[in-house]
Amino acid sequence: MHHSLESWLTLFSSIAILLMGMRVYFLDTTQRVNFWFMLAAFFLFIQNLCFYEMLEIETLAVARKMRTFQETVWNLAAMSIYMTTWYYAKKYMPSRPSRIQTYFFWFILSLFPVFIFLEACTPYGHGEVVAMGNGKWGIIIHHYKIHDWFRAVWVFLSYAAGIYFSTQAYIHNRNEKTKKGHLWIVLLLGVILTVTFIQNYILTAVFGIISPINETGSVIFAIIVVGMMFSNFRLFEVRSEYAINNILNTMTNWGILTDTHFQIQLVNKSLVQALGKREIDFLNMHITSIFPSEQWDVHEQSILAISTDMKDSQYQCEFRLQLNSKIVDLLFTATPIVRNKLVRGYVFVGTDLTVFKESARRIEAYAQQLERSNEALERFAYIASHDLKEPIRNIGNFTGLIKKRYGDKLDESGREYLAFIQQSAKGMDALIDAVMAVSRLGQDAMNWVKVDLNIVLEDTIKGLDGFIRDRQAIVEYSKMPMVQGDPYMLKQLFQNLIENGIKYNTAAHPQIQIYWKKMDDEKGSYKFTVNDNGIGVEEEYREHIFEMFKRLHPRGEYEGTGIGLAICRRIVELHNGEISVRDNKSSVGSVFCFTLSSKPDHSYFSHI
C-alpha cells in the first residue's frame, strides 16, 4: 500500500506527541498537571493514528465509523487538556481557587461524560462526514439542531474556561524568566482553541465550509511547543533536579527550594506540617512569606555572595519564627544549585534548634548563678579569713607579752603551755593565709599573657634557693616552651610541686626532674611532668591529696598546711588543664603530670 507524505507526517507526529507527553510527565511524576498533560498527549496520539488511518479510507461508511471513534478520543483529549489547565492554574495561584471558579470547573467537567456518550453511543454526534474535493474527509453542519446548539455552547464555555485557567499561571507567576513562556502558552492555547471553534462550529454551519478532519498540523505544533515550554519551566525553576523533591520530602528537617530570585518553587512536608498550610500556599511566593523580612535582609547579601565565591558553597543563617504562640529557633543551611557553572536556585535546609537554644539559655543562666555564688563564696572566704587574723594575731601578741613579763614566774608546765599556744597561733595564722591564697585564685581577672617558663623556673628556684641548699636537693629541667597563662600563678604552681617533692623526701639528695612534650590537640597543649625520688603516694590517696587540708601524715612529721596541692589543682584548672599523680616507674617517688595550653582560653572556671 502506498502511503503519502502526509500519512507519514501524521504517523511520526503521533509518536512525537506521545514522547513529549512522557517527557513532561517524567520530569516530576508527583505533579498532577504533568499527569494530565501526558494523558492529553496519549489521547492525541491515538487521535493522530485515527487521522493516519482515515487518509487511507476510501468508503464513506468506514470513514463515519472511524470518525465516531476519533471524535470520542478527541473529547477525552479535550477533557485531559481541560484538567491540565485547571491544575496548571492551581499550581501558580497564591491561594485556593474561589468558589465560583471551583463550581464552574466542576460544572464544565461534569458535561464531558455526557458529550462523550452522545458521540460514542448515539446518532447525535458532531456534524456529518463528507468527502472533500481533494480526496480527504471532512465534516459539515447543514443546520443547527438542539443537540448541536447544546454542544456548541458547552464547547465554547469549556474552551473559554481552559484559556481563562491558563491566564492564571501568567498573572500569578513572579518569575521573570518564565513569565513570557506562560504568556506564550496563553496565546497559543487561545489561538488554537478559537480557530478550532470557529472552523468546526461557525464556518461549517453559517458559510457551509467543510472542516477537514485531519488537524495534525495544529495538534503537533501545540503539543510540542507547550511541552517544550513545560520542560523549560522545569529547568528555569530548578525543579528538574529529580532527586531534590524526594530528598526534601523524606527529611524531618525543613526544606525549601527557590529560584535565583528566592521565589519558592518547592517546600517539603515537614515545613508544610509545621506551618499548618498547604504546599500550594507557598509556590511562587517570595521566601519572606516564611522568614520575617527584617531577619531575611540580614542574610540575603551573604547568600547571594555564594554565587560569586564558589569556595564557600554553603551559608548558615539563623531565624526565629513564631508558630502559633511558640517561638521557634531555626538554623538554615543555604546551598546554591549550580548547573553549567551558573546558579539556578537555592536549597534551604533547616534544623530546629529550639530545644538546644532553651538548654543553652538554661545552662547560661545556671552558669551566671554559679558565678555569682562562687564570687560570693570567695569574697566571704577572703573577708572571713582576713577578719580571723586579727584575733589570732592578738592571741600571739598577748601570749608573747605574758611570756616576756611573767615568764620567770611560771613553772615549767606554764612555759610549756604558752609555747603550745604560740605554736598553735602561728599554725592558725598559716592556715588562714592559705585559705586567703586559695580564695584569691580566680577572684580577680587572670593576667593572660605569653609566658616563658624558663624565666618562671629561674625565679622559682631562686626563691627556693635556701630551702634547696639546706636539703642538698637537685632540680633539673631542659629548655621550657612558651605557654599562655598567668605568670604569678604558674610560678606558684611550679614552686608548690618542687617544694613538695623536696619536703616529702627522705633521700640524702632529693632530685626533682621536670620534662615536657607537645600534645597533638587543637589547643596546642603541652604535657609537663615533675618527677621526684621522694616517699611517693599510694594509689588510694592519689585523688585525696588534691583536696584542701587533706594530709596523709601527722602535722609534726611534715610541716605545712595541707593546701599546697589543692592550690596546684586550682591553678591548672584555671588554665583549662588537668593534673594527676602516678608512681615513678623508673625509680622511687612520684610523678606529677599536668597540661597547659599554648593558645589563650578566657572561658574556663574563672569566668563560670
Side-chain angles (χ1 to χ4, degrees), residues 239-481:
R239 297 182 64 177
S240 60
E241 306 292 337
Y242 312 122
I244 289 179
N245 189 17
N246 291 331
I247 292 174
L248 290 180
N249 279 322
T250 54
M251 292 192 312
T252 56
N253 301 58
W254 289 22
I256 306 171
L257 179 65
T258 74
D259 61 15
T260 54
H261 299 286
F262 302 109
Q263 303 292 330
I264 297 173
Q265 304 301 307
L266 180 68
V267 291
N268 71 342
K269 293 179 181 178
S270 296
L271 184 146
V272 171
Q273 292 172 356
L275 297 181
K277 295 184 179 181
R278 303 176 307 158
E279 179 183 354
I280 196 171
D281 296 334
F282 298 101
L283 294 182
N284 296 296
M285 300 294 290
H286 194 266
I287 200 167
T288 50
S289 63
I290 297 177
F291 302 141
S293 300
E294 64 276 8
Q295 297 182 38
W296 171 254
D297 292 340
V298 174
H299 302 291
E300 182 176 10
Q301 293 304 316
S302 298
I303 295 172
L304 288 171
I306 304 176
S307 307
T308 55
D309 186 5
M310 300 309 294
K311 294 180 181 178
D312 298 324
S313 58
Q314 292 182 335
Y315 175 78
Q316 289 189 329
C317 42
E318 289 190 23
F319 295 96
R320 172 168 283 195
L321 308 182
Q322 183 165 359
L323 302 183
N324 300 323
S325 58
K326 183 181 179 182
I327 300 297
V328 178
D329 292 294
L330 296 163
L331 174 65
F332 273 85
T333 300
T335 306
I337 299 175
V338 180
R339 189 164 189 163
N340 297 328
K341 297 183 179 181
L342 293 176
V343 176
R344 302 292 186 179
Y346 298 89
V347 175
F348 293 82
V349 177
T351 302
D352 191 342
L353 298 180
T354 307
V355 175
F356 301 102
K357 288 282 187 179
E358 290 177 354
S359 299
R361 284 190 283 269
R362 286 196 296 268
I363 292 172
E364 184 178 359
Y366 176 75
Q368 292 175 352
Q369 181 182 359
L370 184 61
E371 181 180 359
R372 291 191 295 268
S373 177
N374 284 345
E375 289 176 352
L377 287 172
E378 287 169 353
R379 285 195 298 270
F380 172 78
Y382 182 79
I383 293 170
S385 301
H386 185 271
D387 291 345
L388 283 173
K389 285 183 71 68
E390 184 176 355
I392 296 300
R393 190 182 302 113
N394 289 337
I395 291 173
N397 291 338
F398 280 102
T399 304
L401 287 174
I402 292 173
K403 182 178 180 180
K404 182 177 180 180
R405 293 184 180 183
Y406 306 105
D408 54 346
K409 298 179 181 180
L410 297 174
D411 58 11
E412 187 66 26
S413 296
R415 286 192 292 272
E416 185 179 338
Y417 295 154
L418 280 179
F420 179 76
I421 294 173
Q422 284 184 317
Q423 184 179 0
S424 297
K426 288 181 180 179
M428 180 65 73
D429 190 61
L431 283 175
I432 292 173
D433 286 338
V435 171
M436 292 176 67
V438 173
S439 67
R440 281 195 296 266
L441 288 175
Q443 186 175 9
D444 301 322
M446 292 178 61
N447 181 26
W448 283 94
V449 295
K450 201 82 170 177
V451 180
D452 186 348
L453 292 182
N454 295 288
I455 297 175
V456 169
L457 280 172
E458 288 176 7
D459 292 344
T460 301
I461 293 172
K462 284 181 181 178
L464 294 173
D465 184 65
F467 180 62
I468 293 173
R469 286 178 179 273
D470 289 344
R471 292 298 311 275
Q472 298 182 2
I474 301 172
V475 180
E476 299 176 332
Y477 64 92
S478 59
K479 185 176 181 181
M480 304 296 284

Side-chain angles (χ1 to χ4, degrees), residues 29-164:
T29 58
T30 63
Q31 297 292 318
R32 291 186 179 181
V33 62
N34 291 6
F35 168 77
W36 285 105
F37 182 86
M38 186 194 71
L39 205 59
F42 172 75
F43 287 125
L44 291 173
F45 162 72
I46 300 298
Q47 178 183 246
N48 263 31
L49 292 181
C50 294
F51 291 157
Y52 172 76
E53 288 295 327
M54 291 187 74
L55 289 172
E56 308 302 326
I57 293 175
E58 298 179 355
T59 61
L60 181 60
V62 177
R64 285 176 177 172
K65 289 182 180 180
M66 183 59 70
R67 164 61 181 173
T68 300
F69 179 73
Q70 175 269 319
E71 184 66 13
T72 301
V73 173
W74 162 247
N75 286 330
L76 291 170
M79 183 177 71
S80 301
I81 293 172
Y82 182 69
M83 294 295 294
T84 300
T85 59
W86 171 250
Y87 285 109
Y88 177 54
K90 287 183 68 176
K91 176 181 173 182
Y92 291 96
M93 284 181 177
S95 59
R96 295 181 178 182
S98 65
R99 286 188 177 183
I100 295 177
Q101 290 172 328
T102 304
Y103 290 155
F104 184 70
F105 163 76
W106 285 108
F107 170 71
I108 297 297
L109 183 63
S110 65
L111 294 177
F112 270 101
V114 175
F115 288 99
I116 291 173
F117 174 78
L118 289 177
E119 190 66 44
C121 305
T122 71
Y124 304 111
H126 173 53
E128 181 182 351
V129 179
V130 296
M132 299 178 67
N134 55 5
K136 298 180 182 179
W137 302 100
I139 60 167
I140 190 167
I141 302 176
H142 295 293
H143 56 84
Y144 271 88
K145 298 178 182 178
I146 294 178
H147 66 274
D148 291 320
W149 281 106
F150 188 28
R151 177 183 283 105
V153 172
W154 168 72
V155 169
F156 175 79
L157 291 176
S158 64
Y159 284 7
I163 295 171
Y164 168 76

